[in-house]
């Protein structure tokens, strides 16, 4: 695994980002900054706009207004594939793996993209050895080697989630976005997932949406609370836990 | 969407099982001119062209999951550009005759880049509709641009010799077409196995995921569309080469329909499925079409039956059958026989019905009735004269359909059950209601 | 000015006609995601049904018979065929309706031959409705336009003010939600399919007396209707109306332009660009190209169509 490129300044900056769907303003003036190596969790009640925020940052939609920066470059409105090439990778709340392919092929496709082999008709040259090797190494690191030849659609749900995260990491991103990585899992599976994500995202910048507070406290070093389209508070887990506004808006009310 | 068969494992035995039939077929094709008469050789040239066309078409469908309803454009454009190049050779150009299909392929590839760029902006049924509209657009232009595309009369040219090869004998044309068809299919085979092929299948399964892995899926789909158009254009080029002429009628919807029907009948989910469909319909067309005016109607019926009862086409049925046979289950010949008999009876009934109605509604039939004084003059179907309105004829047809309904009674439910019933029958598992 | 008005009226009438066929297609599509390739075949069937029955029940009776008969054909197609392949997904549905489109054309050829039949405007309707300047506007054109208008307001009112209309609108927006609320979506859908087919049949019955009634009718209008659905946006009646009228008017005006491509090239200072033979081609002769060109333009400008917000 390559270490993320070192550099100064924040990795991700959102300035006054807003998103409207027709008349509904889902996000209203979001300001957010993520420093290199930071692990940030985004929490908030259902419908707060967390997935929408992810979709804006990862290039699924363009924001209605505001500026998003990845490092030095403005990225709002950029297509997803370009963002990925610039070092931003995301997972999906609803698992999106290639069910008809083996787990190995799933990862292989991600690694191919990282090596810039996006149009290849031929499989000649050293680079293909490197790609295969990288794929195998990554699968081994993720402790999925025993499943490598299995067709993805036959994997158990938690295994598919692991594959999804492994693919997300395999394109070699600096910034990783995970949307509810443990949704739909049992407590034991979620606990395993925390360890898995910790291992897979070591040394990288992480932004994740999560409902499960155990997962949040296990992985994040800072938390932002999103409520009604705005960032209510940002701080360390301890600080957020003690914040009365947050308790009112979220934790006190309906913890999922 | 039928997923295309992929085998990650390749043991020696599997290789032999896969290679051997292909080698046999190839050998037969190469040796064919020793045994076949001219008419059959001619038919086989058309089979090759239809097969290559369908294979190019199915790159889009079987691999990328995009169903085009307007591929005639690329087939026809390949033909047009090939004939123009042929005319240029005739006029003294040094373009080598053996590479002519490449001229058509390249032209259609370029057109496919433009058309595909538009069509792949959207997916699913929108893609389908856009392909129809683009075809209409091109057709409207081509059919009015006579000085370029030759209008109704078309363009004619002749095959110029190249070195020792004269290209005058049918034999030359046959081997030439066969060679280019094999080259085209090999190209598609390598594409499917290539890293690019993997990405294309990824797009079919989860396009958005592929995009978020850093691939420009729109550009990739455009490329696939263009390659598909290019191979179709090569097939069109072979047609122009064989016929030494083209016509703007090639741009019409019928040529989009044929390739779609061939692919559905053969099966889009198996690599060589379209070849099976193209071979069947072309050979049938060659030998049966003369016997009836309603050949296209029968094609349509077969198409509908396949769509409803065997969605993966003939090759899909074959693959299922082989797989189940390998699993060691005994064959239920009784069930299989019943299905076969049932379909046979229904087919005969349908042919009788169509031929009788077809004959009776002809204006000439009314004239015959008046001049002969017989209300319902007899009609010949299956070498027998039938009186269309007699109780015997009508009762006979009703009996056929009734018998068919009884024999096929298990298939009266939903289509999904029919398929599994048939597959189970082949594999020897007891079907429902047996 | 007179010519302008007449061209405009002609365009609107043609646009409304296209809309009559598009409306059923886009609603069926919006509700169940089924693109009915055979929809324009129902339009053709309407013309033939009116032609055939008109001999016995007269022109007006023929319109009624055509509407009902085609509605029934639609109903049976949905219940007996489309439903069989539903579980296989949209691809199989699309192929099935394509097969139906193909079969209907072949059956019509079998019964009536490949050339146009003599379905004409009855003599008692061959009169001028009104004149603008010295241009006459024939009654049956007015009839075509009026039928389409009545149908438009009827559909609109039915969707807006009836309970079933409410369900249909809700189903077009959120298909899963409505069945979750306990409405019998399959029955509503069959009904919608039948009504959509019937409207296409009626459109064919009125259009067939003016345009040639031939097996090619389905193909010709079908591709225009697809353009309307692509640029109008999914399941949107308003989008379909806007697109239909735009196409109707555009085509109608283009037919009147007498310039050639050569004139255009000269005007652009490109007379050196001698594409062989293209110079002599008149714009009016390729008026039929305009809808498709419009579609490509809209795809560039707003890929989801005028009113579309779902991909
Ligand atoms: N594509 C869309 N079109 C219209 N509304 C949307 C769309 N995506 C999300 N929304 C709305 O935005 C709000 C926030 O949704 P989302 O970001 O998914 O919330 P969260 O992930 O925090 O649960 C919801 O009310 C949802 O209905
Ligand atoms: Mg969410």
């Amino acid at each position: 695994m390559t270490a993320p490129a070192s550099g100064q300044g924040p990795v991700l900056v959102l300035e006054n980002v807003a998103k409207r769907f027709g008349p509904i303003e889902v996000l209203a003036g979001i300001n957010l900054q993520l420093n290199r190596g930071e692990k940030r969790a985004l929490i908030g009640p259902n419908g707060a706009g967390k997935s929408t925020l992810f979709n804006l940052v990862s290039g699924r939609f363009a924001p209605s207004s505001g500026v998003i920066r990845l490092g030095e470059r403005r990225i709002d409105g950029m297509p997803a594939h370009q963002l990925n090439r610039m070092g931003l990778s995301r997972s999906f709340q609803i698992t999106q793996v290639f069910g008809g392919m083996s787990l190995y092929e799933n990862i292989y496709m991600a690694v191919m993209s990282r090596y810039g082999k996006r149009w290849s008709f031929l499989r000649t040259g050293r680079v293909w050895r490197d790609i295969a090797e990288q794929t195998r190494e990554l699968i081994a690191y993720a402790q999925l080697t025993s499943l490598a030849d299995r067709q993805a659609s036959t994997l158990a749900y938690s295994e598919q989630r692991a594959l999804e995260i492994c693919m997300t990491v395999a394109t070699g991103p600096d910034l990783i976005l995970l949307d509810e990585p443990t949704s739909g899992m049992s407590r034991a599976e979620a606990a395993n997932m925390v360890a898995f994500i910790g291992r897979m995202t070591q040394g990288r910048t992480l932004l994740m949406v999560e409902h499960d507070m155990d997962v949040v406290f296990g992985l994040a070093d800072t938390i932002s609370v999103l409520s009604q389209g705005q960032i209510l508070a940002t701080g360390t887990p301890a600080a957020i836990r003690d914040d009365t506004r947050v308790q009112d808006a979220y934790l006190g009310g309906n913890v999922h | 969407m039928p997923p295309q068969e992929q085998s990650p494992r390749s043991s020696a035995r599997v290789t032999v099982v896969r290679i051997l039939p292909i080698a046999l077929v190839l050998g037969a094709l190469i040796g064919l001119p020793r045994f076949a008469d001219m008419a059959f050789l001619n038919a086989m040239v058309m089979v090759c062209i239809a097969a290559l066309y369908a294979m190019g078409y199915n790159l889009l469908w079987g691999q990328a999951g995009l169903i085009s309803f307007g591929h005639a454009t690329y087939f026809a454009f390949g033909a047009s550009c090939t004939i123009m190049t042929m005319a240029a050779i005739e006029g003294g150009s040094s373009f080598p005759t053996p590479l002519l299909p490449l001229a058509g392929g390249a032209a259609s590839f370029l057109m496919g880049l433009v058309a595909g760029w538009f069509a792949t902006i959207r997916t699913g049924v929108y893609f389908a509709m856009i392909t129809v509209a683009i075809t209409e657009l091109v057709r409207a232009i081509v059919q009015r641009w006579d000085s370029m595309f030759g209008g109704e009369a078309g363009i004619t040219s002749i095959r110029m010799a190249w070195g020792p090869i004269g290209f005058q004998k049918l034999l030359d044309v046959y081997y030439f077409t066969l060679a280019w068809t094999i080259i085209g299919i090999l190209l598609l085979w390598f594409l499917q196995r290539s890293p690019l092929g993997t990405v294309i299948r990824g797009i079919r399964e989860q396009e958005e995921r592929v995009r978020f892995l850093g691939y420009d899926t729109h550009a990739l789909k455009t490329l696939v569309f263009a390659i598909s158009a290019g191979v179709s254009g090569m097939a069109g080029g072979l047609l122009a080469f064989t016929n030494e002429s083209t016509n703007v009628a090639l741009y019409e919807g019928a040529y989009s329909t044929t390739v779609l029907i061939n692919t559905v009948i053969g099966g889009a989910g198996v690599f060589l499925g379209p070849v099976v469909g193209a071979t069947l319909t072309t050979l049938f067309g060659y030998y049966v079409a003369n016997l009836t005016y309603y050949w296209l109607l029968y094609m349509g019926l077969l198409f509908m039956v396949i769509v409803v009862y065997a969605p993966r086409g003939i090759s899909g049925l074959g693959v299922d059958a082989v797989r189940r046979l390998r699993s060691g289950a005994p064959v239920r010949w009784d069930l299989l026989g019943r299905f076969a008999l049932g379909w046979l009876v229904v087919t005969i009934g349908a042919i009788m019905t169509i031929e009788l109605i077809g004959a009776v509604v002809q204006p000439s039939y009314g004239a015959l009735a008046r001049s002969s004084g017989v209300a319902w003059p007899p009609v010949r179907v299956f070498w027998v004269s039938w009186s269309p309105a007699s109780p015997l004829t009508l009762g006979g047809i009703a009996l056929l359909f009734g018998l068919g309904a009884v024999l096929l009674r298990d298939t009266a439910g939903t289509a999904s059950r029919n398929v599994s019933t048939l597959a189970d029958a082949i594999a020897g598992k007891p079907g429902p209601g047996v | 000015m007179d010519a302008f008005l007449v061209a405009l009226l002609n365009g609107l009438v043609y646009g409304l006609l296209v809309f009559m066929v598009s409306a059923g297609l886009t609603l069926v599509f919006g509700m169940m995601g089924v693109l009915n390739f055979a929809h324009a075949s129902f339009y053709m069937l309407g013309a033939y049904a009116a032609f055939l029955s008109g001999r016995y029940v007269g022109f007006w009776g023929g319109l009624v018979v055509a509407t009902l008969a085609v509605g029934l054909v639609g109903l049976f197609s949905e219940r007996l065929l489309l439903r069989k392949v539903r579980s296989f997904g949209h691809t199989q549905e699309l192929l099935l309706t394509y097969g139906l489109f193909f079969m209907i054309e072949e059956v019509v050829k079998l019964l009536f031959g490949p050339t146009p039949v003599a379905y004409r405007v009855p003599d008692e309707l061959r009169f001028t409705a009104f004149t603008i300047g010295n241009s006459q506007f024939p009654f049956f054109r007015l009839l075509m336009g009026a039928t389409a208008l009545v149908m438009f307001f009827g559909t609109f009112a039915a969707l807006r003010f009836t309970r079933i209309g409410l369900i249909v609108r809700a189903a077009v927006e959120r298909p899963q939600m409505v069945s979750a609320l306990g409405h019998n979506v399959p029955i509503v859908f069959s009904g919608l399919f039948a009504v959509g087919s019937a409207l296409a049949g009626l459109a064919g019955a009125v259009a067939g007396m003016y345009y040639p009634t031939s097996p090619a009718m389905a193909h010709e209008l079908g591709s225009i209707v697809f353009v309307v659905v692509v640029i109008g946006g999914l399941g949107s009646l308003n989008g379909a109306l806007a697109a239909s009228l735009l196409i109707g008017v555009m085509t109608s005006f283009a037919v009147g332009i007498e310039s050639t491509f050569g004139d255009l090239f000269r005007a652009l200072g490109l007379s050196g660009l001698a594409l062989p033979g293209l110079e002599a081609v008149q714009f009016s002769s390729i008026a039929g190209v305009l809808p498709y060109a419009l579609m490509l333009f809209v795809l560039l400008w707003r890929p989801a169509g005028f009113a579309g917000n779902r991909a």
Side-chain angles (χ1 to χ4, degrees), chain C residues 33 43 47 52 55 62 65 70 72 79 81 109-111 135 142 155 163 183 185 187 197 200 244 272 292:
Chain C
Y43 162 82
L52 203 60
R55 295 182 197 162
V65 171
V70 176
L72 277 180
R79 300 227 72 145
L81 289 171
K109 276 186 192 160
L110 167 87
L111 295 178
S135 307
L142 194 67
T155 310
R163 232 181 97 69
H183 292 292
V185 170
I187 294 228
S197 313
S244 305
Y292 309 112

Side-chain angles (χ1 to χ4, degrees), chain B residues 21-244:
Chain B
I22 294 176
L24 285 178
V25 170
L26 261 183
L29 285 172
I30 292 170
L32 184 75
R34 289 185 149 273
F35 313 103
D37 59 0
M38 294 284 270
F40 189 69
L41 216 51
N42 239 322
M44 286 310 290
V45 170
M46 291 303 149
V47 165
C48 285
I49 293 171
L52 183 61
Y53 182 20
M55 287 301 291
Y57 174 80
N58 196 42
L59 169 66
L60 258 186
W61 182 351
Q63 295 293 307
L66 297 166
I67 306 181
S68 160
F69 288 83
H71 243 50
T73 304
Y74 316 104
F75 181 71
F77 194 62
S80 292
C81 292
T82 301
I83 204 89
M84 290 175 202
T85 315
M86 276 168 79
I89 298 174
E90 221 183 311
S93 157
S94 60
F95 191 96
T97 303
L99 299 185
L100 271 172
L102 285 183
S108 291
F109 177 84
L110 292 178
M111 186 183 233
L113 278 182
V114 179
W117 192 89
F118 279 103
T120 57
I121 290 178
R122 310 289 304 265
T123 50
V125 291
Y126 279 102
F127 173 84
M129 289 189 280
I130 296 167
T131 57
V132 170
I134 289 176
T135 293
E136 288 302 305
L137 177 72
V138 173
R139 189 168 71 100
I141 294 173
V142 163
Q143 294 195 337
R144 284 177 181 77
W145 194 350
D146 286 359
S147 55
M148 190 80 177
F149 295 95
E152 300 269 311
I155 306 176
T156 54
S157 179
I158 51 167
R159 298 184 290 264
M160 299 296 279
W162 184 76
I165 313 172
F167 289 117
Q168 293 313 306
K169 294 197 296 272
L170 179 59
L171 200 66
D172 293 357
V173 174
Y174 171 73
Y175 281 121
F176 182 77
T177 314
L178 183 64
W180 273 108
T181 302
I182 291 169
I183 291 171
I185 291 176
L186 280 177
L187 178 88
L188 293 169
W189 171 252
F190 283 118
L191 175 61
Q192 186 201 335
R193 308 281 289 192
S194 73
L196 184 60
T198 307
V199 180
I200 293 165
R201 271 183 295 132
I203 290 177
R204 182 184 70 204
E205 288 195 20
Q206 293 279 355
E207 178 173 353
E208 185 159 56
R209 195 56 175 121
V210 178
R211 200 178 313 130
F212 281 91
L213 288 178
Y215 295 92
D216 183 348
T217 54
H218 183 206
L220 284 163
K221 285 193 292 181
T222 305
L223 177 69
V224 177
F225 192 104
I227 296 175
S228 168
V231 175
S232 303
M234 257 166 68
L238 287 173
L239 184 72
F241 183 85
T242 304
N243 290 348
E244 302 187 302

Side-chain angles (χ1 to χ4, degrees), chain B residues 1 61 67 69 117-118 121-122 125-126 128-130 132-134 136-137 139-141 144-145 147-148 253 257 260-261 264 294 296-297 300-301 303-304 307-309 311 354 357-358 361 412-413 415-416 419, chain C residues 29 33 35 37 81 84-85 87-88 91-92 94-96 98-100 102-103 106-107 110-111 219 223 226-227 229-230 233-234 275-278 281 285-286 289 292-293 295-296 299-300 303-305 310-311:
Chain B
M1 196 55 48
W61 182 351
I67 306 181
F69 288 83
W117 192 89
F118 279 103
I121 290 178
R122 310 289 304 265
V125 291
Y126 279 102
M129 289 189 280
I130 296 167
V132 170
I134 289 176
E136 288 302 305
L137 177 72
R139 189 168 71 100
I141 294 173
R144 284 177 181 77
W145 194 350
S147 55
M148 190 80 177
T257 307
L260 176 90
I261 289 183
V264 169
Y294 312 110
L296 288 175
L297 189 55
L301 274 176
F303 175 81
M304 297 284 270
V307 168
V308 176
Y309 294 101
I354 290 172
I357 293 179
V361 297
S416 54
V419 175
Chain C
F29 187 14
L35 175 72
F37 247 103
L81 289 171
K84 285 205 164 187
V85 297
S87 59
F88 293 138
T91 301
Q92 224 59 24
L94 187 68
L95 292 175
L96 185 89
Y98 190 70
L100 208 54
F102 184 77
M103 289 289 291
E106 292 307 319
V107 169
L110 167 87
L111 295 178
H219 185 85
S223 35
F226 283 171
V227 169
V229 175
V230 171
L234 178 79
L275 287 169
L278 199 57
V281 175
S285 71
I286 60 156
V289 169
Y292 309 112
M295 179 196 75
L296 297 185
L299 277 175
L300 284 179
R310 271 199 276 161

Side-chain angles (χ1 to χ4, degrees), chain A residues 58 60 80-81 84-85 90 92 96-101 109 112-113 118-121 123 128 164 168, chain B residues 187 190-191 193-196 198-199 201-202 205-206 208-216 219-220 223:
Chain A
S58 64
R60 214 182 198 180
H81 64 268
N84 183 281
R85 294 175 198 179
R90 72 167 288 178
F92 292 85
Q96 289 199 9
V97 296
F98 306 109
M101 300 184 194
M109 249 171 78
M112 249 164 67
S113 164
R118 302 188 186 95
W119 296 90
S120 299
F121 190 67
R123 212 185 294 260
W128 291 100
E164 166 102 33
T168 307
Chain B
L187 178 88
F190 283 118
L191 175 61
R193 308 281 289 192
S194 73
L196 184 60
T198 307
V199 180
R201 271 183 295 132
E205 288 195 20
Q206 293 279 355
E208 185 159 56
R209 195 56 175 121
V210 178
R211 200 178 313 130
F212 281 91
L213 288 178
Y215 295 92
D216 183 348
L220 284 163
L223 177 69

